[in-house]
């Protein structure tokens, strides 16, 4: 049985890199930076950061998985 091709290995590496990015992005020391009293359009900055990064990670993951 042949192993995964070069594209499959590259896709797997990109997914792992994305998961590592998400782990770093949701790390508590980094979240404290955005825990300030600032607001964006009336929303606390922390909520905007968390929801934005979460949406970006999901979008990039879907793009990586669905890409031929």
């Amino acid at each position: 049985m042949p192993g995964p091709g070069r594209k499959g290995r590259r896709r797997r590496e990109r997914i792992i890199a994305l998961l590592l990015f998400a782990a770093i992005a949701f790390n508590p020391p980094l979240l404290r930076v955005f825990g300030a009293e600032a607001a964006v359009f009336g929303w606390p900055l922390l909520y905007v950061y968390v929801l934005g990064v979460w949406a970006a990670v999901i979008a990039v993951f879907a793009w990586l998985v669905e890409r031929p």
Side-chain angles (χ1 to χ4, degrees):
M1 175 178 258
R6 187 174 191 179
K7 288 184 180 182
R9 189 173 329 146
R10 185 178 277 171
R11 179 180 291 170
R12 187 176 316 129
E13 290 172 355
R14 289 179 178 167
I15 290 173
I16 290 170
L18 178 65
L19 293 175
L20 289 174
F21 167 76
I24 292 170
F26 292 117
N27 204 358
L30 187 58
L31 290 176
R32 284 190 199 122
V33 171
F34 294 98
E37 295 294 323
V40 177
F41 299 115
W43 288 39
L45 185 60
L46 179 63
Y47 293 174
V48 173
Y49 171 76
V50 168
L51 293 175
V53 171
W54 180 42
V57 167
I58 290 172
V60 172
F61 183 75
W63 177 70
L64 286 173
V65 171
E66 294 295 324
R67 213 167 99 184

